[in-house]
Amino acid sequence: MKVLVVGGGGREHALCWAISASPLLTRLICAPGNPGIAEIAECFPVGSEDIEGQLALAKAEGVDLVVVGPEAPLTLGLADACAQAGIPCFGPKAGPARLEGSKSFFKDIANAAGAPTAAFGRFTEAAAARAYIREKGAPIVVKADGLAAGKGVVVATTVEEAEQAVTEMMEDRIHGAAGATLVIEECLVGEEISFFALCDGSHAIPLGAAQDHKRVGDGDTGPNTGGMGAYSPPPAFTEALQAEVMERCITPVLAELARRDMPFQGVLFAGLMLTKEGPKLLEFNVRFGDPECQALMLRLRSDILPALVAATQGELKDFDLRWEKLASILVVMAAEGYPGTPRKGTEIRGLEAAAQVPGVQVFHAGTARDDAGRLVANGGRVLGIGASGKTFQEAREAAYAAIAKVDWPEGFCRKDIGWRAL
């Protein structure tokens, strides 16, 4: 099979790495890719949000399957375009992709499906939003309705902080049009889990769970980021909880989308809070998480490609995935200044030595080659150092041993990834 993976981050590197091991694969293409992906796939300089360009590439190269990594191409209709061209695509069409593209739509679907989620209000006027915040009090969560690159959520500990978030999102438009509508909801308390299910429009199978670390600093301090690391499986997420989430969250939501003639094919990412009342939905994403995908792929022992194909063909009902009885961890190395304005162009050395540590896999996220061919930082989250082991302690020690071999003074990472598991 010829496969095109859309995207160029750490998640896409992990997907390419997993797909490249499939005996079904004859050719692997990635667009736009990155220097790490280029070691295992042919990379083409087509932006992930260039729908026409991606479709033209898929046609020109005669690909048998398109695998979409980021959310933006899905909300822009890449899967729709592929369907019209007769090219199988792993990822939902624009309609069901609104589960991530619109917090309001997510809430509507969750409520219609009877899936447990936080109480909320929806607002298009700042004055009404502020009045709701003052009525409910803090802590309270303020969310931009649209896509905001993982930065459109403020967990406010005071009323003043929440009102400031309203001002910045709705009036200052720090997230552009994404903040024109706000969803303001109760602050759920508990342990946060990322759970993934493969879906074929009618059926779903569990893909596993991971736990992300959103805050930039050790001890979960500082501003939220796109994710500073992850580990899998989270000890708090038992088989019984997984069965409950499948029954109460995934299956009814799939049925509700199908009822609305919007069948969901792809990976459904449930952001969960394990509350005293049971698991509740924080959000749905319509793609693999980053960095959770990297942690999951390190543990997967099944051939991932047949599962992706089955999802596009409505054949997941009796599909079985095998997992290694290992723990995995992914530590993100970010550029100085992240999550604000990251410093770009700094040289990165030592990755070859890092990759030699047993159990370690290095994933590129925001890297590039400069005119001299040097590997340099080209984003905020730049590298993902992943490792697997028989225990979390073993995996964690391997990951940080590899990080110690990376020669990049301008990079930093959290030193406590996986602390809940330990």
Side-chain angles (χ1 to χ4, degrees):
M1 290 185 66
K2 297 179 184 177
V3 178
L4 165 61
V5 175
V6 176
R11 163 185 49 220
E12 290 75 35
H13 191 176
L15 288 171
C16 285
W17 176 71
I19 292 169
S20 69
S22 174
L24 298 179
L25 185 73
T26 57
R27 188 176 176 215
L28 183 58
I29 298 168
C30 188
N34 64 43
I37 295 174
E39 296 176 2
I40 54 176
E42 299 173 61
C43 294
F44 290 78
V46 180
S48 60
E49 296 178 31
D50 181 356
I51 305 304
E52 290 184 2
Q54 291 286 351
L55 184 60
L57 176 62
K59 288 179 177 179
E61 301 302 325
V63 303
D64 302 299
L65 177 68
V66 174
V67 179
V68 186
E71 63 275 15
L74 295 168
T75 60
L76 291 171
L78 179 54
D80 305 70
C82 287
Q84 291 172 5
I87 303 172
C89 179
F90 180 82
K93 293 181 179 178
R98 290 177 61 210
L99 278 178
E100 180 166 3
S102 169
K103 302 293 190 299
S104 298
F105 182 73
F106 153 65
K107 286 292 191 179
D108 289 343
I109 294 294
N111 285 343
T117 184
F120 75 103
R122 176 171 34 212
F123 304 93
T124 56
E125 295 182 357
R130 293 190 185 97
Y132 182 83
I133 289 167
R134 289 192 288 270
E135 175 191 345
K136 297 297 182 182
I140 198 165
V141 182
V142 181
K143 296 181 176 181
D145 181 69
L147 294 177
K151 299 176 182 178
V153 177
V154 173
V155 181
T157 56
T158 65
V159 167
E160 293 74 20
E161 186 182 354
E163 291 188 355
Q164 179 64 25
V166 171
T167 299
E168 292 177 351
M169 292 185 193
M170 191 168 272
E171 297 178 343
D172 299 342
R173 295 294 177 92
I174 62 170
H175 303 304
T181 298
L182 298 183
V183 169
I184 301 176
E185 62 184 27
E186 68 171 315
C187 184
L188 298 177
V189 178
E191 195 162 342
E192 194 169 343
I193 298 291
S194 300
F195 175 70
F196 301 84
L198 286 183
C199 308
D200 67 6
S202 301
H203 310 102
I205 61 171
L207 186 62
Q211 192 161 50
D212 189 10
H213 298 63
K214 287 292 186 187
R215 300 283 185 174
V216 72
D218 289 355
D220 290 332
T221 58
N224 273 328
T225 71
M228 292 300 294
Y231 66 93
S232 178
F237 196 68
T238 62
E239 288 188 10
L241 281 174
Q242 176 174 286
E244 181 179 354
V245 170
M246 289 294 291
E247 180 181 352
R248 300 185 63 199
C249 300
I250 304 299
T251 300
V253 163
L254 273 189
E256 177 62 22
L257 288 170
R259 188 186 70 79
R260 299 188 186 202
D261 197 25
M262 291 189 288
F264 187 99
Q265 293 183 322
V267 62
L268 193 53
F269 167 178
L272 303 168
M273 187 68 80
L274 305 185
T275 73
K276 292 180 180 179
E277 296 79 32
K280 292 187 178 182
L281 284 167
L282 295 171
E283 63 180 357
F284 271 130
N285 293 326
V286 298
R287 37 70 187 181
F288 287 98
D290 186 347
E292 296 99 329
C293 179
Q294 294 90 306
L296 286 172
M297 292 303 107
L298 285 166
R299 293 180 49 237
L300 183 64
R301 286 300 171 265
S302 287
D303 185 348
I304 188 67
L305 191 49
L308 302 181
V309 172
T312 70
Q313 297 178 343
E315 297 177 354
L316 276 177
K317 184 176 181 180
D318 298 316
F319 209 92
D320 186 37
L321 290 174
R322 292 179 295 105
W323 297 88
E324 194 73 60
K325 291 184 178 180
L326 295 173
S328 64
I329 189 168
L330 191 287
V331 182
V332 168
M333 296 192 72
E336 185 179 44
Y338 181 76
T341 303
R343 183 178 173 187
K344 297 184 179 182
T346 55
E347 185 175 5
I348 304 165
R349 303 183 184 90
L351 295 190
E352 296 82 0
Q356 294 304 309
V357 176
V360 165
Q361 179 67 36
V362 176
F363 297 109
H364 291 235
T367 63
R369 294 283 179 187
D370 66 9
D371 293 340
R374 302 181 308 163
L375 186 70
V376 297
N378 191 43
R381 294 184 297 164
V382 176
L383 295 168
I385 309 300
S388 59
K390 294 179 181 178
T391 65
F392 280 112
Q393 185 67 35
E394 182 179 303
R396 194 169 185 263
E397 288 177 357
Y400 283 108
I403 286 170
K405 296 181 181 296
V406 178
D407 181 8
W408 182 33
E410 297 82 7
F412 73 95
C413 67
R414 279 183 56 163
K415 303 296 193 299
D416 63 346
I417 301 301
W419 66 270
R420 286 184 183 274
L422 296 172

